[in-house]
Amino acid sequence: MNILILLILQPCLMIQLLDGLMIVEYQFVDYNNIQFTLTCKTQFWCLIGFGSTYSNADIIRMSNVNGLLKIEDTLEQNKISFTSPNVDSQQDIYILDGLINDTYLYSSFLKSTNSDDPTDELIDPYSNVEMFYAINEKNIDFETYTQYGRFQLQTYQCHYTCATCNGPFAYQCTMCNEKSIQVLNGYCNTNNYNNVTKLLNKQILIKDEFNLEWEYDKNDNIILQIEISLCDWFGLGFNNDKMENTDMLLIKIETVIINNEKGYYVQIDDMFGTKNTAPLSDTQLYGTQDWILDGFVYYNSTELFVIRVHRKLLTSDKYDFDFSQKKDTLCIYAFGRNGQQYHSANRGAFQFELSKNKQSYQEDYWDKLVLNGHVILMLLFWSFISDIGIFYGRQLKSYPKYVRVHGMIFLFLSIVTYFFVFGMISQQQKRIQQLGYQDTKIILHFILGVVILLIMTTQIFLGLLARNNLESNNGTYLIYKVKYIHKYFGYLLYIITKVQVIIGISIYDSAYIGLFIIYYVLLFLIKFTIEMLYYYQVSAISRKRIKYSQIEQDQQTLYESIIEKLNTGTPYQEMIEDYPKITYIILREAVYDVSDFNHPGGQYIFRKIKGREVGRYFYGSYPIKDTQLHKHSLFAINYIETRYLGDFKNESCPILYTVTDFKKPSHVWTLQEIKSMGTNVSLFKFINQDFKVNQTIQGVQWFGRYFYIKPYGIGIDFQERPYTVVSCLSEMNIKYRYELIEYFKQKDWTKPLPQQPQLSNVLQFVIKKYNGQKNLSKFIHTASHKRFEITGPYGFGLELDDHSSGVHYVFCQGTGVLPFLDLCDYLLRKAIFSIMYQDGLPIQQQYNQLDKFKLILNVSSKTQILGYPILQDLEYLNNQFNLNLFEFNIIKQHYTKRDLQDRLKYQAAKVYVCGFQQFEDDLIELLQQCGVDSRNIVQI
């Protein structure tokens, strides 16, 4: 009979007969076997029978015959009155365990449900089974009984591992009792039999095929751990060089297919060789089964089984070898493969070096140290110090080295926890082996301890991975997934350890429970207060410049030169090359040094935003490539305010003028008019009497600069978003452009030139409506709200100066063309005046910037392109007069690498990318694959 070790567990259904005089426990192991445990309060005999009457009944009888426990498969034939049944010639039960003491007879056995023995009862697991019982409490006379009765086995109850099922067997689960355990091929994987750690002594029987490890424990057990190459069976014989009169351990392994999944059945037998033939089970000789299976593991890669068993050094069974002498002894082994019943040449002998006597335990003082350390340190660490580590990792992110402090605290906690927990496991092996019989608190404490070790180990690896990504300039966006898992595993670990501490205290001394509950309540209140401050935030601090007395003099010079160069229009790339060790960022107009700060999202973020205006990312309007959208807290704002260097004045972009110098202007603008420009795209006009808006700005540095817009008012929560100035679409500029083109067509240079527009109090933006919760563009389009806070201009725009030259490529999508329209309008005017001047216009207008400059505009759009008349006129003039100033391409589909290679015909001075986030990310990756230097790629 082959037994699946995962299923041979304590029977879970119980019937008490005669007020506990007899107890029958049972559980269907699989379709072919049912396991019974029979306990009788007698010193003589008891039995259970299958059927509604005693006549022709299949009976299992347990008896005490001269101090020897017998469990027998018997049959009562053609009898109406009660007599002693006959012992069945074919014993179809498999004895797992048996015991006699001063009060009880006890046995555990397996019975076949569909035996081929015609005298055995066939048991249908889907129908209730009628049974009877009898017991004699007075004498061993099998012909008489003192108590007799009937009962019924209630079948088709789910296996104890199942919450719901399709049948009574362990492989018929549809849902597990433990919510954390998933059903796999019908089984709830509750296997705890995996205790196969290395033992202290080792001998190699056959290299790479059979190895034997062993050690003694302090409970007078010998533990064997056998590494076996895949075979059908493996046997060990003790204290002899042949099979006759030899105590043996037999391991049987059978490969089976269950639900198309390959698995293994494992059975161990305590055997004895009476002759040089097949050995008999000790129970067949009326001995006892003393070897206990502790666990096994199968390694697919090596096809090796590792099986651990143990038994007492000295047992009461006369067929068992006495290991208590701990002397070297000659032993034999044999194995069979591919269906072999006889080992043939697969055998050998070896000297079992039992005298090595290495122990798996230390002296009592060591046990005491482990126990006290476990109690005191685990209590201190997981009740107090862990909260400090969490506080550093969550609330002190503005502290420069918060990641390392958080990591070192928990690494130290973990190392000490490993030491004392595994020390306790080593010390309490016997209690763990008998875990099912322990108090519920101890069982729960052990289970939670295992869970804590698993989560803690996972957390260490996740933490190291997160730290490496956070501190590396070459980190990746995967850090967010790692941090997310690390965060919620941390929450889970925190809760479990707090529960574990309470359980541990109740085991150690329950008198302290009340005190710790009070402590936990106070701890919760403190953490809740901190969380509320963290979420609802503290008041903002005022901006203050880094004090030069706190830094080196050369650092002071560096800071001053950064501000000076920014305000004198030094190109972005030159700034980055001049200050490679200073990580500075710009938020609106303020410049900050964040070189010594560990960004919670990873240092690689600073590599992407160094030297940039970061408001769109900081306020949560846009995500940085490969990062998540995130609105920074007031804590973050307060931190960078302490790193303030100076202001980027943006004086090269005189778009706004204050009307008066006598009062501080208000940045609250009123929405005056909305004008549709296509599907979901509108022109918004804002007015403010405190400002004048320059409609004709000299120079090229201001192209692509943007303003931040957000609704003004209490209780209106929208992330402010940047929108680019598009002056060329104002009514004044449209009129001027029309008049200029008409003047150009007439070619009458005696007439006065059209006058360029100058100032107005209207600031306008073209905004596309996007649907989404708390979407500002949708709010502007649909709400009746009229007042908005508008500040700016900010940023570096297209990063052009008067001397910019070379070929500048643009790859944009939809409304991504807007930041380039003012540049195209400038090139259109430059082209017109250049042609008119060559044709005899006596006045040379001031369009002498961007000499040797060419713009190649590629627009991906399936709808009408905004500002198309400007682009069309510019393209016409460029082609008609061979100006080599502009190229215009419309793409109706997504860009491919081949498209880009075909269009990148010239060496690129700059490549602009503007569109949806995914569009920009994909395009930048393709551009880099085409060999474009990432320093020349500009995201707008």
Side-chain angles (χ1 to χ4, degrees):
M1 182 180 297
N2 293 306
I3 312 301
L4 178 60
I5 192 61
L6 299 184
L7 304 178
I8 302 301
L9 301 169
Q10 189 70 21
C12 66
L13 303 176
M14 177 186 293
I15 299 176
Q16 293 197 29
L17 306 172
L18 303 173
D19 294 328
L21 191 66
M22 290 182 64
I23 297 175
V24 180
E25 297 172 84
Y26 65 98
Q27 176 65 62
F28 285 90
V29 173
D30 56 25
Y31 193 83
N32 298 312
N33 298 286
I34 182 171
Q35 182 183 354
F36 285 92
T37 296
L38 181 61
T39 306
C40 300
K41 194 174 183 180
T42 179
Q43 288 295 297
F44 303 102
W45 65 264
C46 64
L47 59 82
I48 55 174
F50 299 83
S52 57
T53 64
Y54 190 70
S55 177
N56 293 315
D58 180 15
I59 297 171
I60 308 297
R61 183 175 66 190
M62 178 171 62
S63 60
N64 179 358
V65 180
N66 299 323
L68 182 65
L69 182 67
K70 288 188 176 183
I71 302 97
E72 301 167 301
D73 187 0
T74 65
L75 174 69
E76 178 59 34
Q77 293 178 323
N78 301 319
K79 299 290 183 179
I80 297 176
S81 60
F82 187 93
T83 59
S84 174
N86 299 320
V87 177
D88 201 331
S89 60
Q90 182 174 327
Q91 293 287 306
D92 290 297
I93 60 172
Y94 183 85
I95 301 169
L96 301 172
D97 199 6
L99 177 67
I100 300 175
N101 61 25
D102 295 335
T103 308
Y104 293 96
L105 304 181
Y106 165 85
S107 66
S108 179
F109 56 90
L110 293 173
K111 176 175 173 57
S112 175
T113 59
N114 54 1
S115 170
D116 57 0
D117 187 348
T119 65
D120 286 348
E121 182 78 6
L122 297 179
I123 301 173
D124 183 0
Y126 296 95
S127 302
N128 292 338
V129 181
E130 298 293 331
M131 299 189 68
F132 60 87
Y133 64 90
I135 186 171
N136 192 325
E137 304 161 76
K138 296 182 178 179
N139 54 57
I140 196 62
D141 183 6
F142 291 128
E143 301 287 338
T144 62
Y145 59 83
T146 56
Q147 303 272 9
Y148 177 88
R150 292 185 176 87
F151 65 102
Q152 193 178 64
L153 289 186
Q154 302 292 326
T155 59
Y156 195 18
Q157 298 187 46
C158 289
H159 189 268
Y160 74 97
T161 60
C162 310
T164 59
C165 61
N166 294 323
F169 306 126
Y171 61 80
Q172 292 177 304
C173 295
T174 57
M175 184 180 296
C176 300
N177 275 326
E178 293 291 334
K179 294 182 179 179
S180 60
I181 296 175
Q182 300 296 316
V183 176
L184 179 62
N185 299 320
Y187 289 105
C188 291
N189 184 20
T190 57
N191 179 26
N192 294 316
Y193 292 80
N194 58 355
N195 180 23
V196 291
T197 55
K198 294 292 185 181
L199 301 182
L200 296 176
N201 308 292
K202 182 174 182 178
Q203 286 185 241
I204 299 176
L205 307 186
I206 301 178
K207 187 177 180 181
D208 298 327
E209 290 197 37
F210 302 101
N211 297 320
L212 177 63
E213 297 178 11
W214 81 94
E215 68 184 40
Y216 307 117
D217 69 15
K218 63 181 179 182
N219 297 311
D220 295 324
N221 292 314
I222 183 170
I223 305 170
L224 302 183
Q225 187 161 290
I226 308 160
E227 183 179 283
I228 305 174
S229 180
L230 186 60
C231 59
D232 296 332
W233 59 268
F234 181 85
L236 275 177
F238 306 105
N239 198 36
N240 214 330
D241 59 352
K242 56 186 177 181
M243 294 180 62
E244 187 175 357
N245 295 322
T246 300
D247 179 25
M248 296 182 182
L249 168 64
L250 180 65
I251 299 172
K252 297 179 182 178
I253 303 171
E254 182 179 353
T255 305
V256 295
I257 304 296
I258 301 175
N259 295 333
N260 297 321
E261 291 289 329
K262 186 177 180 181
Y264 296 96
Y265 288 90
V266 173
Q267 174 193 345
I268 62 169
D269 274 330
D270 193 352
M271 312 289 285
F272 189 81
T274 56
K275 300 178 181 179
N276 287 325
T277 57
L280 300 175
S281 171
D282 282 15
T283 53
Q284 291 178 291
L285 300 171
Y286 302 101
T288 57
Q289 285 283 325
D290 295 292
W291 286 107
I292 297 173
L293 179 63
D294 296 323
F296 75 90
V297 170
Y298 176 68
Y299 297 100
N300 286 305
S301 59
T302 57
E303 292 192 337
L304 289 176
F305 270 91
V306 181
I307 300 173
R308 176 179 286 197
V309 297
H310 80 275
R311 54 151 269 205
K312 288 292 183 182
L313 296 174
L314 179 62
T315 71
S316 58
D317 187 349
K318 65 180 181 180
Y319 299 107
D320 286 348
F321 173 68
D322 180 8
F323 287 100
S324 64
Q325 301 297 319
K326 300 181 180 178
K327 295 180 179 180
D328 294 355
T329 184
L330 185 65
C331 292
I332 57 175
Y333 66 87
F335 59 93
R337 288 191 175 120
N338 302 320
Q340 286 181 312
Q341 297 296 317
Y342 178 63
H343 54 71
S344 186
N346 298 328
R347 62 177 182 172
F350 66 99
Q351 189 74 9
F352 198 173
E353 300 171 347
L354 295 169
S355 62
K356 284 187 175 181
N357 198 21
K358 289 185 179 179
Q359 301 181 138
S360 59
Y361 60 94
Q362 304 296 326
E363 302 296 334
D364 288 343
Y365 73 87
W366 171 249
D367 293 346
K368 187 175 180 180
L369 174 65
V370 170
L371 177 61
N372 291 338
H374 183 86
V375 172
I376 296 172
L377 293 180
M378 296 304 97
L379 182 66
L380 175 65
F381 285 1
W382 296 107
S383 289
F384 178 67
I385 296 180
S386 62
D387 292 272
I388 296 177
I390 292 172
F391 180 73
Y392 256 98
R394 179 157 176 75
Q395 275 83 28
L396 292 184
K397 291 179 182 177
S398 60
Y399 179 72
K401 302 299 180 184
Y402 80 97
V403 174
R404 293 196 175 187
V405 175
H406 172 81
M408 292 304 296
I409 288 175
F410 276 101
L411 182 61
F412 176 70
L413 260 64
S414 300
I415 292 173
V416 176
T417 299
Y418 282 132
F419 181 81
F420 284 102
V421 168
F422 283 112
M424 284 296 293
I425 290 174
S426 175
Q427 189 182 110
Q428 301 292 331
Q429 286 186 16
K430 183 176 181 181
R431 295 179 77 178
I432 294 173
Q433 291 166 3
Q434 301 174 349
L435 191 64
Y437 301 96
Q438 303 297 329
D439 185 78
T440 303
K441 292 187 291 186
I442 295 176
I443 297 174
L444 185 58
H445 193 66
F446 176 79
I447 294 172
L448 288 182
V450 172
V451 172
I452 288 170
L453 289 178
L454 292 174
I455 298 177
M456 191 170 66
T457 303
T458 304
Q459 284 291 82
I460 289 174
F461 286 107
L462 289 174
L464 290 173
L465 183 60
R467 197 206 75 174
N468 289 338
N469 269 271
L470 285 171
E471 295 184 353
S472 171
N473 287 328
N474 297 314
T476 69
Y477 70 98
L478 293 176
I479 183 62
Y480 289 99
K481 295 181 179 179
V482 174
K483 284 182 65 178
Y484 182 86
I485 298 171
H486 188 66
K487 172 183 175 181
Y488 286 100
F489 265 27
Y491 287 155
L492 179 62
L493 182 64
Y494 181 81
I495 294 170
I496 293 176
T497 51
K498 291 295 187 278
V499 174
Q500 181 77 323
V501 168
I502 290 292
I503 296 173
I505 292 170
S506 66
I507 295 172
Y508 184 76
D509 190 344
S510 58
Y512 293 102
I513 290 291
L515 181 63
F516 265 85
I517 290 176
I518 294 173
Y519 166 71
Y520 278 162
V521 170
L522 293 175
L523 182 64
F524 172 79
L525 291 175
I526 293 171
K527 290 183 71 67
F528 180 79
T529 302
I530 294 172
E531 284 293 318
M532 290 303 99
L533 289 174
Y534 187 74
Y535 275 107
Y536 292 101
Q537 307 179 351
V538 295
S539 58
I541 65 173
S542 58
R543 180 178 298 167
K544 57 182 180 180
R545 193 184 303 272
I546 295 179
K547 294 181 180 180
Y548 293 137
S549 60
Q550 298 174 348
I551 58 178
E552 299 294 335
Q553 188 63 34
D554 58 346
Q555 192 81 352
Q556 173 181 341
T557 304
L558 279 175
Y559 288 159
E560 291 176 343
S561 65
I562 287 174
I563 301 301
E564 181 182 357
K565 286 188 176 183
L566 283 173
N567 287 320
T568 54
T570 304
Y572 167 80
Q573 196 58 46
E574 184 179 331
M575 291 287 295
I576 296 301
E577 293 172 356
D578 287 348
Y579 304 101
K581 295 183 179 180
I582 303 295
T583 302
Y584 71 91
I585 59 173
I586 304 169
L587 182 60
R588 294 182 182 271
E589 75 285 348
V591 184
Y592 302 96
D593 176 18
V594 291
S595 303
D596 62 349
F597 178 61
N598 280 347
H599 195 289
Q603 295 302 96
Y604 78 103
I605 289 178
F606 285 146
R607 176 170 52 85
K608 294 175 179 289
I609 64 174
K610 178 180 178 180
R612 299 286 187 184
E613 199 284 318
V614 298
R616 68 184 71 182
Y617 313 123
F618 196 87
Y619 299 125
S621 300
Y622 295 93
I624 301 173
K625 184 179 184 297
D626 294 335
T627 66
Q628 295 177 332
L629 198 67
H630 178 68
K631 179 184 178 182
H632 288 73
S633 68
L634 193 55
F635 283 98
I637 296 175
N638 283 346
Y639 170 74
I640 65 169
E641 293 295 4
T642 66
R643 311 301 300 165
Y644 172 68
L645 303 183
D647 283 346
F648 173 37
K649 300 185 185 301
N650 228 336
E651 292 178 348
S652 61
C653 185
I655 295 177
L656 294 182
Y657 296 92
T658 55
V659 174
T660 178
D661 295 330
F662 297 107
K663 69 171 185 175
K664 185 177 181 180
S666 170
H667 290 279
V668 178
W669 294 67
T670 301
L671 179 58
Q672 182 187 48
E673 182 183 352
I674 303 177
K675 181 181 178 181
S676 176
M677 299 188 68
T679 304
N680 291 330
V681 180
S682 299
L683 178 71
F684 292 82
K685 296 181 179 181
F686 299 89
I687 60 171
N688 187 329
Q689 299 302 326
D690 290 348
F691 289 98
K692 288 294 183 181
V693 181
N694 194 351
Q695 298 297 324
T696 304
I697 308 174
Q698 302 302 318
V700 297
Q701 291 92 340
W702 64 277
F703 294 143
R705 303 288 175 97
Y706 50 84
F707 287 75
Y708 283 108
I709 303 177
K710 68 177 180 179
Y712 180 78
I714 299 174
I716 305 176
D717 184 19
F718 285 92
Q719 310 301 336
E720 54 188 307
R721 294 177 68 89
Y723 289 100
T724 306
V725 179
V726 190
S727 295
C728 63
L729 296 182
S730 70
E731 292 179 356
M732 298 172 67
N733 274 308
I734 291 174
K735 179 182 177 183
Y736 169 71
R737 190 163 48 250
Y738 173 78
E739 293 174 349
L740 181 62
I741 291 174
E742 289 299 314
Y743 182 85
F744 170 77
K745 290 178 179 178
Q746 294 173 6
K747 297 185 181 296
D748 185 358
W749 313 136
T750 61
K751 292 182 180 181
L753 283 168
Q755 294 299 308
Q756 289 183 307
Q758 297 301 318
L759 300 175
S760 75
N761 61 352
V762 176
L763 185 63
Q764 60 185 28
F765 302 92
V766 177
I767 299 175
K768 183 175 181 178
K769 175 185 173 184
Y770 295 99
N771 292 318
Q773 188 177 12
K774 288 193 174 183
N775 191 295
L776 180 59
S777 66
K778 179 181 178 182
F779 177 81
I780 294 177
H781 274 83
T782 58
S784 59
H785 193 77
K786 297 296 183 183
R787 306 187 75 196
F788 292 83
E789 183 179 324
I790 303 177
T791 56
Y794 299 119
F796 296 97
L798 303 185
E799 300 179 8
L800 297 174
D801 58 45
D802 293 346
H803 306 291
S804 294
S805 60
V807 179
H808 289 61
Y809 289 91
V810 175
F811 294 93
C812 61
Q813 178 187 47
T815 54
V817 73
L818 291 172
F820 307 98
L821 289 183
D822 281 338
L823 172 60
C824 292
D825 182 58
Y826 174 88
L827 294 178
L828 176 60
R829 285 182 275 129
K830 180 180 177 70
I832 291 173
F833 277 100
S834 176
I835 296 168
M836 290 193 302
Y837 183 74
Q838 292 177 7
D839 203 27
L841 180 70
I843 302 173
Q844 171 71 10
Q845 285 280 2
Q846 59 274 26
Y847 291 97
N848 52 2
Q849 299 97 337
L850 302 183
D851 286 339
K852 300 180 181 179
F853 180 93
K854 182 174 183 177
L855 182 69
I856 300 179
L857 179 65
N858 301 278
V859 182
S860 174
S861 178
K862 297 181 181 180
T863 60
Q864 180 182 357
I865 297 174
L866 296 170
Y868 183 73
I870 300 174
L871 307 178
Q872 189 178 38
D873 291 340
L874 178 57
E875 182 183 34
Y876 171 78
L877 291 177
N878 181 80
N879 296 336
Q880 187 71 20
F881 295 94
N882 297 318
L883 300 178
N884 196 30
L885 190 66
F886 181 73
E887 288 185 20
F888 180 37
N889 304 298
I890 301 176
I891 308 298
K892 298 293 185 181
Q893 58 188 7
H894 293 295
Y895 291 103
T896 64
K897 185 177 179 180
R898 174 62 62 87
D899 293 332
L900 296 182
Q901 288 173 336
D902 292 341
R903 299 185 187 282
L904 295 168
K905 297 178 292 185
Y906 313 106
Q907 180 68 32
K910 278 189 175 64
V911 180
Y912 299 106
V913 177
C914 188
F916 290 111
Q917 183 71 43
Q918 191 61 50
F919 171 83
E920 293 185 358
D921 295 346
D922 294 343
L923 200 59
I924 290 172
E925 184 176 347
L926 289 174
L927 288 169
Q928 291 174 341
Q929 291 176 9
C930 292
V932 179
D933 192 332
S934 60
R935 294 175 298 178
N936 295 333
I937 300 174
V938 181
Q939 283 180 272
I940 302 299

